[in-house]
Amino acid sequence: MINIEINKEPLELIKSDIELVLVIDKKFEHRFIKTPASLFDKCGFSANHEETLFLVEQNRVFVGCESLKANDIKSAIASATRVIIGTKYSSLKIATYHDMDTISSIGAIVEGIILGAYTFDKYKSKKSELFLSSVVISLEEYNSHEINEVEASNALVRAKILANATNMVRDIVNTPPDDFYPEIMANIAKELSDNSTLECEILEVEELKKENMNALLAVARASRHTPRVIHLTHKVANPKAKVVLVGKGLTYDSGGLSLKPSDYMVTMKSDKSGGSAVLGILKAVNELGLDIEVHGFVGAVENMIGGDAYKPDDVLIAKNGKTIEVRNTDAEGRIVLADVLSLAQQRVEDLDYIFDMATLTGACVVAVGHYTSGVMGFSDEVKDKVIKSANVSGELASKLDFNRHLKKTIKSEIADVCNISSTRYGGAITASMFLSEFIEDKNRDKWVHIDIAGPAFVEHTWAENPYGASGAGVRMMTTLIENLCNEK
Ligand code: BES
Ligand code: ZN
Ligand code: ZN
């Protein structure tokens, strides 16, 4: 654990092993830099964004940062943090760099450090030792802005909550499937509620049968690990709104009988990212004590092969009575979500918003790339809320529009809807249109689907994210829920 504190003292008066200095927009001369520009030149340091230079004799780490924007500061600090945690220095100091407001400026520094310091070495016999134990942020500011101390310490608390919830989700998603199956996911949800005011209910096979969740049960059938549906709730006395979050929690997606080729199966432990994000958001919302009622539902299922597996050609009767023609067992996430969406809407009748988060399609990664989530639904207003929250929180999200031509491609000759499209293109949108079949009319404009297949798990370091799980969705959706508090 790294202890992060705020200090009113000027940077120079704070004692620490090393100092972290940001070179903003390649401006080598500023109030915190005492080093001649010629020395940087000699070292071959151009201060490109996230480029670092450690001048050991000066006890200073420099990092290039494109602008004073909070998201640039965050990724630059994360990059420098990765260098620093590779050393044996234990204390660090840094000044404040102010952009729009204190929350995002201080938040960027704190998130950069906590998210940048994340490592997943549970499965390494030789663990990397963390020497960095203390970080002090001086309120002395790059452009001599006055920083309000109370606002700064609120920002510190908020950023710690968001970053730690994100790191919890990273740990969950990175855990291999043999050690992480639906029962474990349910245990984590129970643990979260045991240690907080969150309420938790777990539905096992018998209850799922009673709820007529035959679609979800069909996907789960071939696995030795029985499925769970998690319902985690954050309740407050007079909620300003009721938000429902639904997450795809495929603890492994082998593809089922429509088996994935080996190269595509690797990384499918990350198919639980949507459900894991839901757990992380509930944790963060609860710790922040937000005045919103939030219900998190997770369909925790393993999609496997075997004599008992569901098959292409099967017709499933979903919880809401609609029939689904299965033509590909690898399009399983939408089948699981169909039932969990129905359950969520039945249980929370007077909801204001319903969001589902899922690593739903490879097509979404093709459409918008690895770093961006796809945002789909009927209401531009709600989709824009998601995009805006993503932008301010440092996540990337793009809208993908529905159209009536694509809608026709999920028609079935023998059932109400088919689980795959008849066209190979636009797969992120057709998957979302399939989900829309399970949204009640009254909730049409309250629903948004977020496909996080791209950013949830990336096999290299990018911005403040490490190799592997990123915790996509946690910061974006917690910010959205926070903003709802301020709206009313
Ligand atoms: N879990 C996958 C989607 C996925 C792909 C997530 C890559 C993350 C990275 C999903 O269940 C799936 O297999 N979708 C299929 C749908 C197809 C059969 C219509 C896909 O995207 O290929
Ligand atoms: Zn699949
Ligand atoms: Zn899947």
Side-chain angles (χ1 to χ4, degrees), residues 181-328:
Y181 37 89
E183 185 188 350
I184 305 289
M185 200 153 191
N187 289 345
I188 291 198
K190 274 188 253 169
E191 231 173 81
L192 283 175
S193 82
D194 287 346
N195 300 323
S196 70
T197 58
L198 289 169
E199 292 171 20
C200 179
E201 189 190 345
I202 307 294
L203 285 79
E204 297 195 29
V205 171
E206 279 316 306
E207 286 113 328
L208 298 174
K209 280 185 184 160
K210 277 188 208 135
E211 290 287 353
N212 291 318
M213 296 176 75
N214 308 309
L216 178 147
L217 286 164
V219 175
R221 219 166 51 209
S223 171
R224 72 192 168 101
H225 298 298
T226 55
R228 300 286 187 283
V229 169
I230 298 163
H231 180 187
L232 202 55
T233 317
H234 168 74
K235 280 199 176 134
V236 283
N238 294 304
K240 291 190 173 145
K242 283 191 186 177
V243 175
V244 171
L245 302 168
V246 173
K248 170 177 174 182
L250 262 288
T251 59
Y252 201 67
D253 180 13
S254 69
L257 290 181
S258 314
L259 196 64
K260 282 184 185 292
S262 338
D263 287 355
Y264 290 84
M265 206 185 293
V266 187
T267 75
M268 278 304 132
K269 65 174 182 181
S270 69
D271 218 17
K272 56 185 177 302
S273 296
S276 309
V278 169
L279 301 183
I281 298 160
L282 263 293
K283 175 179 157 71
V285 163
N286 187 254
E287 288 175 5
L288 290 167
L290 300 183
D291 265 345
I292 305 270
E293 184 168 312
V294 185
H295 293 262
F297 291 87
V298 181
V301 178
E302 192 182 56
N303 185 22
M304 295 296 283
I305 54 171
D308 199 22
Y310 84 125
K311 309 168 213 34
D313 284 345
D314 275 343
V315 175
L316 313 174
I317 307 171
K319 175 172 168 60
N320 72 348
K322 285 201 179 173
T323 54
I324 304 168
E325 180 190 0
V326 178
R327 290 182 76 91
N328 190 318

Side-chain angles (χ1 to χ4, degrees), residues 248 250 253 255 258 260 264 267-268 270-271 303 328-334 359-365 370 419-421 427 451-454 457:
K248 170 177 174 182
L250 262 288
D253 180 13
S258 314
K260 282 184 185 292
Y264 290 84
T267 75
M268 278 304 132
S270 69
D271 218 17
N303 185 22
N328 190 318
T329 62
D330 195 12
E332 83 300 334
R334 63 196 78 180
T359 46
L360 204 63
T361 64
C364 192
V365 194
H370 240 310
N419 87 321
I420 54 164
S421 162
D451 194 330
I452 58 169
F457 195 93

Side-chain angles (χ1 to χ4, degrees), residues 18 26 37 82 114 119 164 198 214 319 363 376 386 425:
I18 38 173
K26 307 201 176 193
R82 287 190 282 262
I114 302 176
T119 51
N164 288 329
L198 289 169
N214 308 309
K319 175 172 168 60
M376 289 153 267
V386 175
Y425 302 113

Side-chain angles (χ1 to χ4, degrees), residues 234-469:
H234 168 74
K235 280 199 176 134
V236 283
N238 294 304
K240 291 190 173 145
K242 283 191 186 177
V243 175
V244 171
L245 302 168
V246 173
K248 170 177 174 182
L250 262 288
T251 59
Y252 201 67
D253 180 13
S254 69
L257 290 181
S258 314
L259 196 64
K260 282 184 185 292
S262 338
D263 287 355
Y264 290 84
M265 206 185 293
V266 187
T267 75
M268 278 304 132
K269 65 174 182 181
S270 69
D271 218 17
K272 56 185 177 302
S273 296
S276 309
V278 169
L279 301 183
I281 298 160
L282 263 293
K283 175 179 157 71
V285 163
N286 187 254
E287 288 175 5
L288 290 167
L290 300 183
D291 265 345
I292 305 270
E293 184 168 312
V294 185
H295 293 262
F297 291 87
V298 181
V301 178
E302 192 182 56
N303 185 22
M304 295 296 283
I305 54 171
D308 199 22
Y310 84 125
K311 309 168 213 34
D313 284 345
D314 275 343
V315 175
L316 313 174
I317 307 171
K319 175 172 168 60
N320 72 348
K322 285 201 179 173
T323 54
I324 304 168
E325 180 190 0
V326 178
R327 290 182 76 91
N328 190 318
T329 62
D330 195 12
E332 83 300 334
R334 63 196 78 180
I335 298 178
V336 168
L337 286 178
D339 274 354
V340 184
L341 283 166
S342 300
L343 180 80
Q345 292 169 97
Q346 185 187 67
R347 291 205 164 185
V348 192
E349 271 186 17
D350 50 346
L351 60 90
D352 295 299
Y353 298 96
I354 175 162
F355 300 99
D356 75 77
M357 307 171 73
T359 46
L360 204 63
T361 64
C364 192
V365 194
V366 174
V368 295
H370 240 310
Y371 313 104
T372 305
S373 295
V375 179
M376 289 153 267
F378 298 107
S379 161
D380 271 309
E381 198 187 319
V382 188
K383 282 186 282 186
D384 287 340
K385 280 188 200 297
V386 175
I387 305 279
K388 190 178 150 218
S389 310
N391 291 342
V392 300
S393 65
E395 296 197 44
L396 300 171
S398 283
K399 279 200 262 183
L400 300 173
D401 291 342
F402 290 163
N403 63 62
R404 71 167 76 85
H405 316 291
L406 281 175
K407 183 70 198 280
K408 290 179 193 154
T409 70
I410 54 167
K411 278 191 175 154
S412 163
E413 293 291 333
I414 60 161
D416 297 335
V417 65
C418 181
N419 87 321
I420 54 164
S421 162
S422 57
T423 164
R424 60 156 85 212
Y425 302 113
I429 296 169
T430 49
S432 181
M433 286 176 151
F434 175 93
L435 296 180
S436 76
E437 292 286 320
F438 300 88
I439 300 297
E440 295 172 20
D441 285 343
K442 67 174 199 289
N443 293 329
R444 252 176 85 89
D445 289 328
K446 299 176 179 176
W447 166 71
V448 159
H449 158 64
I450 306 160
D451 194 330
I452 58 169
F457 195 93
V458 181
E459 289 184 280
H460 57 254
T461 306
W462 55 291
E464 60 274 25
N465 301 296
Y467 170 99

Side-chain angles (χ1 to χ4, degrees), residues 135-155:
V135 176
V136 177
I137 303 169
S138 163
L139 293 186
E140 186 180 2
E141 202 275 331
Y142 176 75
N143 278 322
S144 308
H145 277 112
E146 279 288 322
I147 307 287
N148 178 303
E149 208 185 328
V150 176
E151 275 182 20
S153 58
N154 290 343

